Amino acid sequence: MSTLKVDSLVEKTSGNGVHIPGHVIQVVEGSASGSALIFTDINNSHLVDSLTITTKSANSKILVSGGFTFQNGNNTSFVCMVHYGGSEVYRFGEFSKEGRYAAFGSFLHSPNVAAGTTITYETRAAKESSNSGTTMVINQSHDKIILQEIAQ
C-alpha cells in the first residue's frame, strides 16, 4: 500500500471541484414550518416534509436521514416512509399501539442522475388500519430531513 502526501488538491477543470470517493460533497437540511398534521383517513400517505438537493457529481449516492414525532390513536397501524420520484423507497417505522413516538431512519440511496440534477425526497406518513374515527397527529415542529451527497 502506498501513501500519498500533498499540501493541496487543485481541480483539473474549473467549477468541477475535487471529489474523493466516499466523502461527503454537500449537506442539505430542512424541517417543516407547520405545527401539526392531523388526519383520519386510511391508506393515503400524507406529506410531512420535503427537501431538494442539486447533485454536484454524476452518479453520487445520497444519504437520506429523516424523522418526526407523532401521537398514534388506539389500535391504529401507522407507517413512516421516504418517497423519491413519487414512490416509496424506504420505510423507517411501523407502529400499531396507542402512544407518542419518535420515528427516525437513514438509508443510502443511488438515484443514478447526472451532475446538476435537482432531486426531491419527501417524508410521508400513512395509516394502514384504524378504529373508526381514530386520529393521527404529527408534530411538524419536530421533524427533520438531512440529505448528504456522497462522492463515488
Side-chain angles (χ1 to χ4, degrees):
M1 181 168 186
S2 299
T3 302
L4 174 65
K5 296 180 180 181
V6 298
D7 290 323
S8 65
L9 292 173
V10 179
E11 61 187 332
K12 181 179 175 183
T13 306
S14 180
N16 286 335
V18 176
H19 304 293
I20 302 166
H23 286 77
V24 176
I25 298 171
Q26 65 173 315
V27 177
V28 180
E29 66 176 298
S31 57
S33 58
S35 58
L37 174 63
I38 302 170
F39 57 92
T40 58
D41 57 333
I42 299 172
N43 293 327
N44 291 319
S45 71
H46 294 270
L47 177 66
V48 177
D49 197 4
S50 67
L51 189 61
T52 60
I53 187 168
T54 301
T55 58
K56 292 185 177 183
S57 181
N59 300 318
S60 56
K61 295 188 182 216
I62 307 294
L63 179 60
V64 181
S65 303
F68 48 86
T69 61
F70 60 92
Q71 183 167 339
N72 199 12
N74 187 29
N75 295 323
T76 300
S77 177
F78 178 77
V79 296
C80 310
M81 63 200 94
V82 174
H83 277 221
Y84 166 77
S87 299
E88 180 182 331
V89 291
Y90 180 69
R91 202 171 263 211
F92 62 93
E94 296 185 41
F95 305 87
S96 60
K97 302 239 184 232
E98 182 174 9
R100 293 188 175 135
Y101 297 95
F104 179 85
S106 292
F107 75 104
L108 193 59
H109 188 237
S110 301
N112 296 320
V113 296
T117 303
T118 299
I119 53 180
T120 301
Y121 291 90
E122 299 175 342
T123 52
R124 299 187 76 85
K127 287 178 19 176
E128 293 188 321
S129 67
S130 173
N131 282 341
S132 178
T134 302
T135 301
M136 187 79 249
V137 180
I138 296 173
N139 186 346
Q140 287 181 297
S141 64
H142 293 151
D143 87 296
K144 179 69 85 178
I145 302 177
I146 302 169
L147 305 175
Q148 298 179 60
E149 183 179 5
I150 311 295
Q152 296 304 296

